[in-house]
Amino acid sequence: ILHKVEIFRFTVVSSNMVSKKQSLRFIPSSISLILLSENNRSARITIEKNKIMSIEKVKAYFATLGREKEVMEFPVSSATVELAAQALSVEPARIAKTLSFQGEDENHCILIVTAGDAKIDNSKFRHFFKMKARMLSPEKVAESTGHAIGGVCPFANPEGVRTYLDISLQRFDTVFPACGSSNSAIELHCDELFRYALAIQWIDVCK
């Protein structure tokens, strides 16, 4: 079943028990479906139509740079810093995590790429951006960037997305940002990350 919907982006939103009599059920408004397992458990999955999957857009972007073959895809999840570090066999701090914040209005999104062990300092954020740090909901992240939670990255993003890199990354020669899916990454030097992310500037907004 999953092969048939691989051109869609999907996220698990809840789980519950269903009977064997239930089968695939599509709801046109949200394109939700029920998947059955051998143990009668199911995951209700909301699928958002996406003509080109996020990772394919990122690969296409890196193809213009002659580096699409460097995009790594793993047989395991890399959706969190810890999982990505395990998949890559590197220290968690070298995972370049991308955080999504509300911009000055509903049409703008701010992405901040930080070291895997860094945390946003609210006072520094407020001082630099002149507004409170408000992280986006998973739905708003997907809507604003085209990337689902777990695969959010600073590449191939639409207009209205502004990307900044935090200086917490600069202690490393190379770092590993995601590439649009929850099981992907690419190794880049910090200066390459800055260029490929089309970053506006290096900032200091972490603890």
Side-chain angles (χ1 to χ4, degrees):
I1 293 172
L2 291 182
H3 289 300
K4 293 182 180 180
V5 296
E6 62 182 2
I7 61 170
F8 297 94
R9 182 174 64 252
F10 59 89
T11 53
V12 175
V13 295
S14 67
S15 63
N16 57 5
M17 299 296 289
V18 297
S19 69
K20 291 183 178 180
K21 294 181 180 180
Q22 288 179 295
S23 57
L24 289 180
R25 182 177 64 192
F26 288 87
I27 303 174
S29 60
S30 62
I31 318 181
S32 296
L33 57 81
I34 299 294
L35 294 178
L36 300 181
S37 72
E38 292 180 356
N39 296 323
N40 262 352
R41 291 178 301 177
S42 72
R44 183 169 181 169
I45 299 175
T46 298
I47 303 175
E48 295 180 13
K49 217 168 186 180
N50 195 358
K51 292 182 180 179
I52 304 177
M53 286 195 307
S54 182
I55 188 169
E56 296 304 326
K57 289 190 292 185
V58 174
K59 284 182 177 179
Y61 172 67
F62 277 111
T64 67
L65 303 168
R67 303 191 65 169
E68 72 277 13
K69 293 182 179 179
E70 296 177 47
V71 174
M72 296 173 278
E73 293 186 76
F74 315 115
V76 296
S77 174
S78 58
T80 66
V81 168
E82 293 74 18
L83 290 174
Q86 291 174 18
L88 288 157
S89 297
V90 300
E91 62 178 301
R94 289 183 65 196
I95 303 302
K97 62 181 179 183
T98 304
L99 305 175
S100 309
F101 298 88
Q102 177 64 56
E104 61 271 23
D105 57 49
E106 293 297 319
N107 298 317
H108 291 84
C109 167
I110 296 171
L111 297 184
I112 302 178
V113 188
T114 78
D117 60 349
K119 295 182 179 180
I120 292 294
D121 184 308
N122 289 325
S123 62
K124 287 183 178 181
F125 185 102
R126 188 183 302 110
H127 177 75
F128 182 82
F129 291 104
K130 310 303 179 186
M131 59 183 174
K132 183 179 179 180
R134 291 183 296 161
M135 295 197 74
L136 298 181
S137 67
E139 295 78 16
K140 188 63 177 177
V141 170
E143 177 186 336
S144 300
T145 69
H147 306 308
I149 293 294
V152 180
C153 67
F155 314 117
N157 286 301
E159 291 183 11
V161 176
R162 293 179 295 158
T163 302
Y164 298 84
L165 304 190
D166 187 78
I167 61 173
S168 58
L169 292 164
Q170 293 181 334
R171 59 193 145 131
F172 303 111
D173 182 28
T174 63
V175 292
F176 299 85
C179 289
S181 73
S182 60
N183 65 323
S184 63
I186 187 171
E187 182 176 13
L188 296 173
H189 291 280
C190 285
D191 60 339
E192 293 175 329
L193 175 59
F194 186 89
R195 293 198 310 271
Y196 299 158
L198 304 180
I200 295 174
Q201 67 182 89
W202 287 96
I203 60 177
D204 178 9
V205 293
C206 284
K207 297 177 181 179

